[in-house]
Amino acid sequence: MLDIPSRVRVHVETLLAAQNDMGVCDAIEQYAPVGKPDTMNAPHAPKVAGIDSTVPSPAHTVAPAPAASENAAGPAVPAPNAPGALLQDRLAGWVSDLTTLHELTERLVRTAALADALQEVLRAGAALVGARRGLVALEPGDGLGPDTTIGLGLARADLGHIETVPRGAMPFGRILDGLPGAEDGIVQPDLFAEDGLDPRHREVAARLGYAASYTLPLSTPAAGRLGAAVWLYDEPAEPVERQRHLVGLYVRHATEHLARLLEVERTRACMATMAEELLPSRLPRVAGMQLAVRHRTGPRGGGDWYDALPLPDAALGLAVGSVTGSGPSAVAAMGRLRASLRAYAVMEGEDPVAVLSDLELLLRLTEPARSATALFAYCEPALRKITLAGAGHTPPLLIGERRTEFVETSVSAPLGMLACWEAPSVELEAEAGETVLLYTDGLLHRTGDPTDRAFARLHAAAAGVPRSLRRDPDAIADHILRTVLPDGRDEADSAEDVVLLAARFE
């Protein structure tokens, strides 16, 4: 038996059965003493982190020591325990590779956004193949998108230069076009020594300073081809067989994760498109009033909505509201509610209470399990007068040179909560240059603050609008969003929709 500590021997005996293709067991037979029992027929080692345990032997294996050595003092002395060193070295390399792959895949599965996952694939692949730069071309074979190119160590201008190379001359282009011979990847160990290299490719490679590349397809049996990953070397080089095997295992797992994130991305984009299509494509132009709107939809699609509707007698109807829930059902309910409110506003818009009463009756009869908040305002731009009513909705905010205050509205329940809804309306007379801000409670919820602090933050943001921006409702809306929701929280994924509708009287 080899002179290996007992704990090491257990691991060797357990794991080496999976190494027949690595030549380790052959080495054991060669060096094992005659007459000793064969203890290497243990069960196969389990998979680690979803990675197949049949990893080739590490390239850094120690060469066998000579069988005997001569010294000046006497006859030949048997060499030290060469088989034990050989096995320990190979086992250490194998476990090291599995640990590396486990750590890289763990980092990958923690990414929740498609762009972040693509960057992680580039970084991990570069570490495995020994490259410094690279790019991922995402182009799903089903043609449904999204199509994008993300670089590692490459600026947008560098990616632009690469895109000027004819598609068929680039290895990732051949993979994306499904040309034969690219299924297992494409190696270009020395671009400038390669016969038939496209002149434009040669020029771009010299300009960007890379001399070799290694390209792998991103594809799964279920999702098909998703794209291709390319790693670039500064000098002529190519990954050795072991590096190719390891990066192949990693890319196989990474592509499955990318396919899942791609479906999530498509669902989010579809929900956002549905929500946007159910809202006005543009705001109307009305004499005496300027309008601006900002709408942010959550990743699952929400029920916040707005409307601006020209009415008879040069009037204008403004509405904002929110339907409970999220997802396709909430988006569909929002569309039905908005369409119904438009009809009621045309018939009796000068009476906001009647409009909301009709809307409440419709909601209670057609969707008894759902509730909604809404605010409708009947605006007369020539008189700078607004008559409004709200059903469980946040109060409007009036922004002017001499005042910034919330409009006092009566306390009322949301639509669908009571057997019969009714609340008094409120009249407001604005001065020239003042802006009325209508918004949904998603603006307050995204702050993460208690309600009173969120209202205070909104008031402070409105009062702090610079004088130079007060003539432009678009600038006012942008300033308030950036101030109330700093650090990009107005764009980040959130379960809450946001609607901000600004109406400025001239």
Side-chain angles (χ1 to χ4, degrees):
M1 181 64 68
L2 298 176
D3 185 17
I4 305 175
S6 59
R7 292 180 62 186
V8 175
R9 186 181 304 120
V10 170
H11 291 292
V12 172
E13 294 172 355
T14 304
L15 299 175
L16 280 180
Q19 303 301 309
N20 289 323
D21 59 327
M22 297 166 54
V24 180
C25 292
D26 295 335
I28 295 172
E29 273 188 11
Q30 178 180 351
Y31 292 107
V34 178
K36 293 294 183 179
D38 181 11
T39 59
M40 298 303 173
N41 297 323
H44 285 272
K47 293 183 178 181
V48 178
I51 301 170
D52 193 346
S53 60
T54 56
V55 181
S57 59
H60 55 273
T61 300
V62 177
S69 61
E70 290 269 350
N71 58 42
V77 178
N81 194 2
L86 173 70
L87 292 174
Q88 290 187 31
D89 183 67
R90 290 193 175 187
L91 181 60
W94 182 51
V95 173
S96 174
D97 290 336
L98 291 177
T99 302
T100 299
L101 288 174
H102 176 73
E103 292 174 353
L104 293 177
T105 52
E106 281 291 310
R107 266 189 359 207
L108 176 66
V109 298
R110 285 196 293 266
T111 58
L114 183 60
D116 294 339
L118 292 174
Q119 283 287 354
E120 181 59 36
V121 169
L122 278 176
R123 286 192 292 266
L128 290 173
V129 302
R132 187 172 63 89
R133 294 178 292 173
L135 64 93
V136 167
L138 186 68
E139 188 178 303
D142 57 13
L144 300 179
D147 298 345
T148 185
T149 301
I150 293 179
L152 173 69
L154 297 172
R156 293 303 306 175
D158 299 334
L159 295 176
H161 287 304
I162 293 175
E163 290 174 353
T164 63
V165 181
R167 181 183 176 98
M170 298 296 291
F172 69 84
R174 298 201 290 272
I175 290 176
L176 295 178
D177 291 338
L179 298 181
E183 297 82 2
D184 298 326
I186 301 175
V187 184
Q188 292 182 310
D190 191 347
L191 287 170
F192 299 107
E194 185 176 315
D195 295 334
L197 185 68
D198 184 85
R200 180 56 184 166
H201 191 187
R202 186 185 304 273
E203 179 184 347
V204 169
R207 182 185 187 115
L208 300 184
Y210 66 88
S213 68
Y214 182 56
T215 308
L216 283 178
L218 302 175
S219 62
T220 65
R225 189 195 69 244
L226 301 183
V230 186
W231 291 279
L232 306 174
Y233 296 89
D234 297 341
E235 302 291 339
E238 64 178 297
V240 298
E241 181 181 355
R242 184 171 191 77
Q243 290 175 318
R244 296 186 194 182
H245 188 83
L246 292 177
V247 76
L249 289 174
Y250 175 79
V251 167
R252 190 185 314 159
H253 174 83
T255 305
E256 295 176 356
H257 182 65
L258 292 176
R260 291 189 291 269
L261 292 181
L262 181 64
E263 288 302 316
V264 173
E265 189 78 11
R266 286 176 173 177
T267 302
R268 290 180 176 181
C270 181
M271 294 304 304
T273 301
M274 287 177 55
E276 292 296 334
E277 289 296 325
L278 290 172
L279 297 173
S281 57
R282 61 183 181 86
L283 296 175
R285 294 185 178 182
V286 179
M289 181 170 284
Q290 296 174 289
L291 299 176
V293 69
R294 296 294 181 268
H295 182 216
R296 303 289 185 265
T297 304
R300 293 178 296 173
D304 285 17
W305 53 276
Y306 67 91
D307 207 348
L309 177 67
L311 297 175
D313 302 324
L316 178 70
L318 299 178
V320 292
S322 177
V323 176
T324 56
S326 61
S329 62
V331 173
M334 175 265 288
R336 292 190 293 268
L337 205 64
R338 172 180 168 267
S340 301
L341 186 140
R342 289 174 70 90
Y344 298 145
V346 169
M347 293 186 294
E348 47 193 6
E350 68 280 357
D351 186 358
V353 172
V355 172
L356 294 185
S357 296
D358 294 341
L359 195 65
E360 192 275 337
L361 179 60
L362 176 72
L363 186 68
R364 182 156 44 87
L365 293 176
T366 60
E367 300 186 57
R370 194 179 298 276
S371 63
T373 66
L375 187 145
F376 179 74
Y378 180 78
C379 304
E380 301 173 84
L383 303 176
R384 301 195 192 96
K385 179 182 176 182
I386 296 180
T387 305
L388 60 89
H393 205 78
T394 51
L397 184 60
L398 185 63
I399 306 170
E401 293 291 339
R402 294 180 293 182
R403 59 176 175 172
T404 300
E405 58 189 27
F406 290 102
V407 178
E408 292 292 338
T409 56
S410 57
V411 178
S412 61
L415 303 176
M417 298 292 289
L418 302 177
C420 182
W421 177 91
E422 187 169 345
S425 60
V426 176
E427 289 189 359
L428 168 68
E429 292 188 6
E431 299 180 3
E434 289 189 328
T435 300
V436 177
L437 192 70
L438 310 181
Y439 54 95
T440 59
D441 56 3
L443 178 64
L444 306 176
H445 293 163
R446 279 204 186 193
T447 64
D449 293 338
T451 303
D452 55 343
R453 292 185 181 180
F455 274 116
R457 176 181 289 191
L458 174 60
H459 185 276
V465 175
R467 188 179 298 272
S468 59
L469 303 181
R470 291 178 179 263
R471 299 178 60 87
D472 183 1
D474 281 291
I476 293 174
D478 287 335
H479 174 84
I480 291 175
L481 269 182
R482 287 193 303 266
T483 306
V484 176
L485 302 175
D487 303 324
R489 280 183 291 171
D490 60 321
E491 300 290 349
D493 286 349
S494 172
E496 299 288 344
D497 286 7
V498 173
V499 167
L500 199 65
L501 179 60
R504 180 181 181 273
F505 289 94
E506 298 178 341

